[in-house]
Amino acid sequence: MKSHRKELWFNIPQRRGFKNITYDVQKEVSESGIKEGLVLVNAMHITASVFINDDESGLHQDFERWLEELAPEKPYSKYLHNRTGEDNGDAHIKRTIMGREVVVAITNGQLDFGPWEQIFYGEFDGKRKKRVLIKIIGE
Ligand code: ZN
């Protein structure tokens, strides 16, 4: 079995944002030389997510609105966590809702997606450097 590991670094300039990382993941699959296997992609921070969905118009604004309804950023006093002096209680919850990682099958050297599936990085406490782990196993 072969394996391949890569960290992707991001610095999202706003507190929240979504970034399509499908191309970056496929690039690592291609560089790994692995034709049949699995790729794990996970956020390495507890205030960011990796998830799969479509890149359709409006969808990311809908996610943003829905997450703000469920776990609004403000008032900061809403969260017990923020009594530690942090202000990111909402970001921890948003990360848990949107998920830590995805696993995608690799078939014939390609990401074996369903229709319209793409991989996204979701940032909920940005304006700093954060990273995503890509781990590929197979042969
Ligand atoms: Zn925190």
Side-chain angles (χ1 to χ4, degrees), residues 46-47 81 86 88-89 92:
I46 35 67
T47 53
H81 175 66
E86 288 191 67
N88 65 1
H92 287 274

Side-chain angles (χ1 to χ4, degrees), residues 52-84:
I52 291 182
N53 215 295
D54 198 348
D55 207 357
E56 258 179 331
S57 172
L59 194 51
H60 290 171
Q61 292 98 308
D62 289 339
F63 281 138
E64 162 68 16
R65 253 188 353 209
W66 178 72
L67 288 167
E68 273 298 288
E69 284 169 15
L70 290 172
E73 176 186 341
K74 294 171 187 167
Y76 295 123
S77 61
K78 179 182 173 73
Y79 300 96
L80 298 178
H81 175 66
N82 290 344
R83 290 184 190 171
T84 63

Side-chain angles (χ1 to χ4, degrees), residues 32-131:
S32 75
I34 290 170
K35 299 295 178 199
E36 299 294 323
L38 294 171
V39 55
L40 165 77
V41 187
N42 69 269
M44 296 181 84
H45 302 264
I46 35 67
T47 53
S49 289
V50 172
F51 63 96
I52 291 182
N53 215 295
D54 198 348
D55 207 357
E56 258 179 331
S57 172
L59 194 51
H60 290 171
Q61 292 98 308
D62 289 339
F63 281 138
E64 162 68 16
R65 253 188 353 209
W66 178 72
L67 288 167
E68 273 298 288
E69 284 169 15
L70 290 172
E73 176 186 341
K74 294 171 187 167
Y76 295 123
S77 61
K78 179 182 173 73
Y79 300 96
L80 298 178
H81 175 66
N82 290 344
R83 290 184 190 171
T84 63
E86 288 191 67
D87 68 359
N88 65 1
D90 68 306
H92 287 274
I93 293 172
K94 286 169 172 133
R95 184 275 170 104
T96 301
I97 293 168
M98 295 302 282
R100 171 183 184 264
E101 78 274 304
V102 300
V103 177
V104 181
I106 299 163
T107 303
N108 199 22
Q110 299 294 312
L111 295 167
D112 200 344
F113 284 133
W116 306 112
E117 283 189 329
Q118 301 196 55
I119 306 171
F120 296 91
Y121 175 70
E123 178 61 78
F124 307 116
D125 186 19
K127 304 179 192 171
R128 55 198 171 109
K129 284 182 74 184
K130 290 163 82 169
R131 64 204 156 124

